[in-house]
Amino acid sequence: MSDTTPDPTATVPGAPSSEPPTLEEPTDPRPPPPPKPEQGTPEPRTPTGVSLEADPTDFAQQGEYLTTSTGTRLRDTDHSLKAGERGPTLLQDHHFREKMTHFDHERIPERVVHARGTGAHGVFLGYGTAGDLSRAAFLGKDVLTPVFVRFSTVLGSRGSADTVRDTRGFATKFYTSEGVFDLVGNNIPVFFIQDGIKFPDVIHAGKPHPDREIPQAQSAHDTFWDFVSLHTEAQHHTMWNMSDRGIPRSYRTMEGFGVHTFRLVAADGSSSLAKFHWKPRLGVHSLVWEEAQMLAGFDPDFHRRDLYDAIEAGAFPQWELGVQVFPDTPDQTFEGIDLLDPTKLVPEELAPVQPIGELTLNATPTNFFAETEQVAFHLGHLVPGIDVTDDPLLQARLFSYVDTQLTRLGGPNFNQLPVNRTHAPVNDMLRDGMHQSAVHGGVAPYKPNSLDGGCPFTVGAGEPALQDFPAAVAAEATKVRRNPASFEDHFSQTRQFWVSMSPVEQDHIVAAYAFELGKCWDSTIRTRQLLALAQVDDGLAARVATRLGMPAPASVDVPEVEPSPALSQIGREWPVEGRQVGVVVSADTDPADVEALTTALREALVTVLLVAPVGGPVWPDRPEQAHRTLHTARSVELDAVVLADAPPPLGDEPVVDATVPAVDPRVTTLVSEALRHAKPVAVLEPSIAERLGVDTSAPGVLTGDLDGLAGDLVRALSTHRVWERQGRTS
């Protein structure tokens, strides 16, 4: 995996190959080009976990010449074997049949949920601060563990857009010295349901309507709101999804949560209950709704591209892993909150998140299918020191994940795929099955045996091993299909989330509910959901009702709650690595000014994109190339816009604003969208602002001398948006 930080002044990321192409098709035989510097692959391991003295490229294509799958060289792959030039294709054309048969079977079933995913390699550094909580070796001080992380949306198909309003998956595979540990979570700390038996129901409700297969990758339709308005335990998760958390700006600015309560077991056998949290180093930031809609058309791969471009640019995404820790009491509650209820969270003000390690993503996949599509997660992939609890949703997931892999990956040997291979020795007595790639020795895959000398042996007392924690089970318990009474409060934490939002975030939530419910055809479903919102907050229900043109529900008693400031995304400053700034230039722009500004921004690991009227060199006597043109650049891929010039119209588009005829209308659109979406806009010359009608006294519109402008822009980027322009902030 790549661990070298590239030069921040290097070219903009996104080159499709490690070598520039030639204009003519190459004809001189040569080996395959090497991977790009930012690409990584699974470490070379045997199916049973042994490290191989091999380079990752040894497992990629080899040699200079095209061959069959068994290595026989081929002279022609453009023409099938025929009976004469105009004759029928012959069945004996084994190369055609192999090539076509493999192509016909290239696709495997996509995931039922989390089909749209993106993965990356990285490392996890243990802080050693969890030593009193868990004996897991990978949490030890300065222990470096390879990882593979997959981010995803829940509802959409593989071909859906990245920026839809949806829950995001955040799944991490740790290749620890004690075996694989999978932490499979979401970007929202609570879930729709309390019991896994209802998972098919919530997914069937959220998926496209079965008669029309629309809408794709969204919850703005009748079946979803029919379910959640009847099933009020879903209201807490739904409130999070209607907030800006449902449309993250980037995977790099997305929190992750283990959702469930886990049990941590220390070396002395003592136990604690814990919830896992991933805290992004860049802070938690989101898109605004119009940006999300625009990006779904302009760049449906926006989150995938953002992640990979950041890694290539050396702005390695980082998250801190932390735990909220609770006493392992018989009732498994904390401050009145049932820790086995996955629709509840514990406010950080009651149980602070304790940092225990840091995740860094530093390499992109070499082959997306082999790695991101074939990676298989399972909550039962545990290591000594981490155990499960009786959370009924977690219990169901322990069954469901393995069951899913059997269909997707063709059999029980999915852990032998390179991306899933453990880095610990394997002696499991599991044999045969489809896609078995290990060549097992011995004659006795059973215990007890004497023919293999008794091997494999179970671990003796005192040695590290996976051991089920001897949690007490109530002797008087009877078999029931029922929830505990503590699961029945569906609105206290939903209201807490609402009152913890800043006014501008509340505005966004109102708009999201109004959009989603406005897309529902049936008025009864809209009315029912308004009644549910009234149990959260009268004002929320009334504001949504007004937008829907419906009467507000009658007032009801709502729970008394305290705000949790940790739930709001607004109010702090964050690092700016990997943010993208578009600089509008033309051949008339002073290149020295642009060079000074871009150099200062790149030193902060901000990606600078030169936006020029046309492609090619910006200045005829200098090497700088345009990264975007006025034909291809849109504000939604940028975090800020710098106006170094205001080029005149190219003459290929009508002037859409007669008040600024001297400026290309695409520049006008770029700037107006950036202003509307509350992004910083910097202007190098007052005359440029005048020509575009930009109010230089408005919040977040930056002017001044060149020396200070880069610093001002970095500070403005650190708050993600100029919230004063977006709406109310207090």
Side-chain angles (χ1 to χ4, degrees):
M1 297 174 201
S2 171
D3 58 2
T4 303
T5 302
D7 181 353
T9 63
T11 186
V12 170
S17 176
S18 60
E19 299 178 357
T22 58
L23 185 61
E24 301 294 334
E25 180 180 357
T27 56
D28 294 332
R30 51 152 291 173
K36 294 170 63 178
E38 77 278 5
Q39 291 177 328
T41 63
E43 290 188 16
R45 299 266 170 171
T46 70
T48 51
V50 178
S51 180
L52 296 173
E53 294 295 330
D55 189 273
T57 56
D58 293 344
F59 295 86
Q61 61 269 33
Q62 304 292 316
E64 299 90 340
Y65 296 101
L66 178 69
T67 73
T68 66
S69 63
T70 54
T72 303
R73 291 182 180 181
L74 293 164
R75 196 177 305 280
D76 189 329
T77 191
D78 293 333
H79 306 93
S80 57
L81 189 65
K82 306 179 188 72
E85 290 182 356
R86 300 178 62 80
T89 299
L90 299 177
L91 184 62
Q92 75 179 64
D93 189 348
H94 54 87
H95 171 51
F96 161 78
R97 286 187 287 111
E98 178 186 73
K99 183 177 179 180
M100 187 58 68
T101 299
H102 196 282
F103 170 78
D104 290 342
H105 295 266
E106 279 183 359
R107 294 295 175 263
I108 62 175
E110 68 175 34
R111 291 166 169 88
V112 177
V113 289
H114 298 277
R116 174 70 179 181
T118 304
H121 297 275
V123 292
F124 178 82
L125 178 67
Y127 290 166
T129 52
D132 294 336
L133 300 172
S134 173
R135 61 169 172 257
F138 79 98
L139 296 176
K141 183 173 176 56
D142 296 331
V143 174
L144 204 62
T145 301
V147 301
F148 188 84
V149 176
R150 187 176 188 271
F151 303 106
S152 56
T153 55
V154 172
L155 292 178
S157 67
R158 274 191 65 192
S160 58
D162 280 347
T163 60
V164 296
R165 184 180 294 280
D166 197 0
T167 307
R168 265 69 179 179
F170 192 137
T172 308
K173 185 176 289 290
F174 298 81
Y175 304 96
T176 85
S177 61
E178 300 176 298
V180 168
F181 170 55
D182 286 344
L183 181 56
V184 192
N186 288 332
N187 72 322
I188 292 176
V190 293
F191 205 62
F192 287 107
I193 55 176
Q194 296 167 325
D195 193 311
I197 199 172
K198 291 179 287 194
F199 190 72
D201 300 307
V202 66
I203 297 304
H204 287 168
K207 285 286 190 177
H209 292 201
D211 56 344
R212 300 187 177 192
E213 191 62 14
I214 56 174
Q216 173 63 240
Q218 58 177 297
S219 55
H221 55 90
D222 290 77
T223 58
F224 176 81
W225 289 100
D226 182 40
F227 177 81
V228 300
S229 61
L230 288 168
H231 196 67
T232 54
E233 70 190 55
Q235 291 292 323
H236 191 193
H237 185 113
T238 303
M239 176 69 77
W240 276 76
N241 221 24
M242 293 303 104
S243 78
D244 293 341
R245 302 281 187 143
I247 45 174
R249 161 61 178 81
S250 165
Y251 292 132
R252 299 179 294 126
T253 60
M254 190 178 81
E255 272 186 298
F257 303 90
V259 179
H260 307 289
T261 299
F262 291 81
R263 179 174 276 111
L264 303 182
V265 183
D268 62 4
S270 61
S271 65
S272 305
L273 301 181
K275 286 183 176 289
F276 289 104
H277 292 247
W278 291 111
K279 297 287 188 182
R281 182 170 174 268
L282 298 179
V284 185
H285 301 307
S286 297
L287 298 166
V288 296
W289 180 231
E290 186 183 44
E291 286 181 304
Q293 292 175 299
M294 293 172 63
L295 281 164
F298 173 68
D299 186 2
D301 306 305
F302 180 69
H303 284 158
R304 182 177 295 179
R305 191 184 317 281
D306 173 90
L307 178 69
Y308 292 162
D309 282 356
I311 292 173
E312 183 179 348
F316 296 147
Q318 291 184 315
W319 291 259
E320 194 163 60
L321 180 63
V323 287
Q324 288 180 296
V325 183
F326 321 103
D328 191 356
T329 57
D331 62 2
Q332 297 181 30
T333 65
F334 180 77
E335 298 288 337
I337 301 168
D338 194 324
L339 297 176
L340 299 187
D341 183 350
T343 68
K344 303 291 195 306
L345 57 79
V346 178
E348 294 182 28
E349 292 77 17
L350 297 180
V353 177
Q354 305 176 29
I356 61 174
E358 183 180 66
L359 167 69
T360 302
L361 297 183
N362 57 17
T364 63
T366 297
N367 185 278
F368 194 91
F369 174 81
E371 299 164 67
T372 304
E373 279 304 301
Q374 292 196 130
V375 67
F377 296 96
H378 174 35
L379 279 82
H381 289 164
L382 300 165
V383 291
I386 302 176
D387 205 347
V388 299
T389 59
D390 294 335
D391 174 340
L393 178 62
L394 172 56
Q395 294 284 314
R397 294 176 74 193
L398 289 169
F399 165 79
S400 178
Y401 278 64
V402 168
D403 194 46
T404 296
Q405 311 306 343
L406 295 176
T407 294
R408 285 200 69 247
L409 300 174
N413 292 309
F414 54 85
N415 282 325
Q416 293 185 15
L417 292 166
V419 72
N420 297 321
R421 289 179 183 174
T422 181
H423 292 193
V426 174
N427 196 346
D428 56 14
M429 296 195 302
L430 304 177
R431 294 294 184 269
D432 305 339
M434 291 184 69
H435 312 304
Q436 175 63 255
S437 57
V439 182
H440 294 102
V443 297
Y446 54 84
K447 285 195 67 64
N449 77 71
S450 61
L451 293 177
D452 280 348
C455 185
F457 299 89
T458 54
V459 176
E463 295 293 322
L466 188 65
Q467 184 174 348
D468 297 306
F469 185 79
V473 178
E476 70 279 6
T478 56
K479 296 177 182 178
V480 295
R481 292 188 184 271
R482 206 163 55 230
N483 279 337
S486 56
F487 278 40
E488 296 305 314
D489 178 8
H490 301 161
F491 292 103
S492 293
Q493 291 204 341
T494 317
R495 176 167 173 76
Q496 182 181 50
F497 185 83
W498 168 255
V499 301
S500 301
M501 297 294 100
S502 65
V504 67
E505 290 172 303
Q506 290 185 343
D507 291 344
H508 293 173
I509 291 173
V510 169
Y513 273 112
F515 174 84
E516 297 258 330
L517 295 174
K519 299 284 278 188
C520 292
W521 185 89
D522 196 297
S523 63
T524 301
I525 293 172
R526 296 196 294 270
T527 299
R528 190 192 303 136
Q529 180 58 31
L530 287 174
L531 291 171
L533 293 182
Q535 297 188 67
V536 178
D537 186 86
D538 284 346
L540 168 61
R543 292 173 65 187
V544 174
T546 297
R547 292 196 178 203
L548 295 174
M550 301 175 67
S555 297
V556 297
D557 291 333
V558 295
E560 292 186 11
V561 296
E562 290 293 324
S564 172
L567 299 178
S568 173
Q569 298 185 44
I570 297 177
R572 295 178 61 184
E573 295 185 358
W574 302 97
V576 299
E577 288 93 328
R579 300 289 175 81
Q580 295 202 144
V581 174
V583 182
V584 179
V585 296
S586 76
D588 297 326
T589 310
D590 186 343
D593 289 347
V594 175
E595 182 177 18
L597 180 66
T598 56
T599 298
L601 291 173
R602 285 169 175 159
E603 287 175 353
L605 284 181
V606 172
T607 297
V608 178
L609 302 176
L610 298 183
V611 182
V614 295
V618 177
W619 297 277
D621 57 343
R622 292 176 63 92
E624 291 91 342
Q625 301 276 324
H627 304 118
R628 300 288 189 274
T629 71
L630 297 183
H631 295 281
T632 62
R634 289 301 294 267
S635 66
V636 284
E637 68 171 327
L638 305 173
D639 295 290
V641 173
V642 175
L643 294 168
D645 207 338
L650 292 174
D652 60 342
E653 290 236 344
V655 176
V656 296
D657 187 348
T659 63
V660 284
V663 179
D664 191 290
R666 284 163 290 215
V667 177
T668 307
T669 299
L670 186 73
V671 175
S672 64
E673 288 174 351
L675 291 170
R676 190 164 69 247
H677 298 155
K679 295 175 179 177
V681 174
V683 185
L684 296 195
E685 296 288 343
S687 61
I688 298 174
E690 292 174 9
R691 293 170 62 196
L692 284 165
V694 174
D695 181 4
T696 56
S697 66
V701 177
L702 309 175
T703 59
D705 63 274
L706 201 60
D707 291 337
L709 199 57
D712 292 342
L713 191 55
V714 168
R715 282 187 290 276
L717 286 169
S718 70
T719 60
H720 187 57
R721 295 188 192 277
V722 184
W723 293 109
E724 296 87 344
R725 283 212 315 269
Q726 182 76 114
R728 303 172 301 144
T729 58
S730 61

